Amino acid sequence: MNATSTVTKPEHVAIIMDGNGRWAKSRGLPRVAGHRAGVKTLRKLIEHSVKINLNAITVYAFSRENWQRPKSEVDLLMDLFISALNSEVKDLHKNNVKLTFIGDRSAFSRKLQNSINDSETLTTSNTGLRLNIAANYSGRWDIVQAIQVITKEIESNKIKIEDVDEALVSNKLSLADHNDPDLFIRTGGEQRISNYFLWQSAYTELYFTETLWPDFDAKQLDIAIDWFSQRQRRFGKTSEQIEQTQNS
Ligand code: FPP
């Protein structure tokens, strides 16, 4: 570990699971085969996250922009979400995982909404890993919905304009009961945030890897965590200030 590190393990890891399509294409398979392999990868990484005692992981399963994909792929993804949820939720529950969905679920079919609601209800009292699934989510959408909630509270005189500060906005965003992500991982080689956590990733450490999501494994998660543990998180301060605090 670097002598100037302030942390060893991230509490909250946000992941963009990119590269399923390319993984499938390189094997001459349909894109959906890549998504199916992606679900298996996610399952293994959840197991590993439980084992290494991570507090929370949040995966970007479907962005608001993903509706623009061919209808056949969107339909297959929706079916995959339902079947993956139905087949995995009991095991997640057994492992004390608490499942939460963020994003506008009202756009999903009644069947998928039921699976989402049932899985959240079943795992609601669990105290282990927080597994959050961002589905029909985007960072800009999150900020807009927070603005709507705040505006309504001002209109109904519940709060005053002067009460609006960073803490209040944070409180109205998705996952307000979580720390902001410490570590962001994007597989698949692209180096962008793609409208994922915008407000919440102000000080998140960003880790990009060329590995396609279906090939990402527990060892690679450990490497990303190790990389994170070498980072000196300064939150706007100087290195000298951070070192002084650590030595005092
Ligand atoms: C991005 O790869 C991946 C997605 C849009 C879907 C990810 C979803 C899963 C792995 C399933 C998760 C399931 C549950 C129940 C949470 P891409 O298609 O953009 O790949 P490409 O960049 O190679 O084309």
Side-chain angles (χ1 to χ4, degrees):
M1 200 181 91
N2 184 319
T4 55
S5 292
T6 52
V7 279
T8 51
K9 206 173 66 181
E11 289 198 3
H12 182 187
V13 181
I15 305 179
I16 295 190
M17 310 178 284
D18 197 14
N20 294 344
R22 279 165 285 159
W23 182 92
K25 197 172 169 197
S26 71
R27 286 164 174 75
L29 298 169
R31 291 179 60 84
V32 67
H35 296 312
R36 280 201 198 98
V39 174
K40 286 193 188 149
T41 296
L42 180 57
R43 188 183 201 286
K44 285 194 199 131
L45 287 173
I46 293 165
E47 268 172 29
H48 190 60
S49 303
V50 169
K51 200 167 119 196
I52 63 175
N53 270 322
L54 282 185
N55 279 9
I57 56 176
T58 305
V59 295
Y60 208 4
F62 195 82
S63 75
R64 292 175 70 78
E65 289 78 22
N66 284 150
W67 293 110
Q68 296 169 62
R69 292 189 172 205
K71 186 175 180 308
S72 54
E73 182 171 342
V74 171
D75 288 348
L76 284 163
L77 271 170
M78 296 298 143
D79 288 347
L80 191 61
F81 293 152
I82 295 173
S83 62
L85 265 182
N86 294 349
S87 67
E88 301 299 338
V89 70
K90 283 201 186 94
D91 255 11
L92 291 171
H93 184 46
K94 245 194 288 176
N95 281 287
N96 199 21
V97 174
K98 180 177 163 86
L99 199 58
T100 303
F101 280 77
I102 57 168
D104 178 11
R105 66 185 69 177
S106 70
F108 293 136
S109 69
R110 179 46 50 200
K111 194 171 170 194
L112 179 51
Q113 288 186 51
N114 287 343
S115 292
I116 290 174
N117 295 339
D118 291 350
S119 65
E120 286 181 333
T121 305
L122 179 70
T123 62
T124 190
S125 305
N126 290 346
T127 54
L129 175 73
R130 297 285 310 261
L131 170 62
N132 309 301
I133 298 180
N136 198 22
Y137 177 86
S138 81
R140 288 184 178 173
W141 167 85
D142 205 0
I143 293 168
V144 168
Q145 67 78 28
I147 292 171
Q148 288 174 344
V149 171
I150 292 169
T151 311
K152 276 185 200 139
E153 291 191 355
I154 294 172
E155 259 176 15
S156 61
N157 294 320
K158 198 171 157 200
I159 57 167
K160 297 199 276 296
I161 288 180
E162 305 77 70
D163 297 328
V164 180
D165 58 12
E166 290 186 15
L168 183 96
V169 175
S170 293
N171 261 319
K172 304 298 181 195
L173 291 166
S174 302
L175 299 184
D177 61 340
H178 281 56
N179 289 348
D180 286 344
D182 303 293
L183 170 63
F184 161 100
I185 298 173
R186 181 175 189 144
T187 60
E190 308 291 357
Q191 303 205 354
R192 52 178 173 254
I193 304 216
S194 297
N195 209 357
Y196 199 17
F197 290 127
L198 297 180
W199 176 283
Q200 297 94 326
S201 59
Y203 279 101
T204 302
E205 299 292 332
L206 308 179
Y207 180 87
F208 300 98
T209 169
E210 293 291 324
T211 305
L212 303 176
W213 176 250
D215 293 327
F216 196 75
D217 59 15
K219 195 168 158 222
Q220 296 191 50
L221 178 59
D222 286 341
I223 291 172
I225 291 175
D226 210 42
W227 172 86
F228 171 84
S229 73
Q230 312 288 326
R231 308 295 308 154
Q232 185 190 54
R233 304 190 77 194
R234 294 198 288 275
F235 299 97
K237 295 184 183 170
T238 66
S239 324
E240 290 74 19
Q241 286 174 301
I242 301 294
E243 281 157 29
Q244 231 166 39
T245 320
Q246 282 174 331
N247 295 334
S248 62

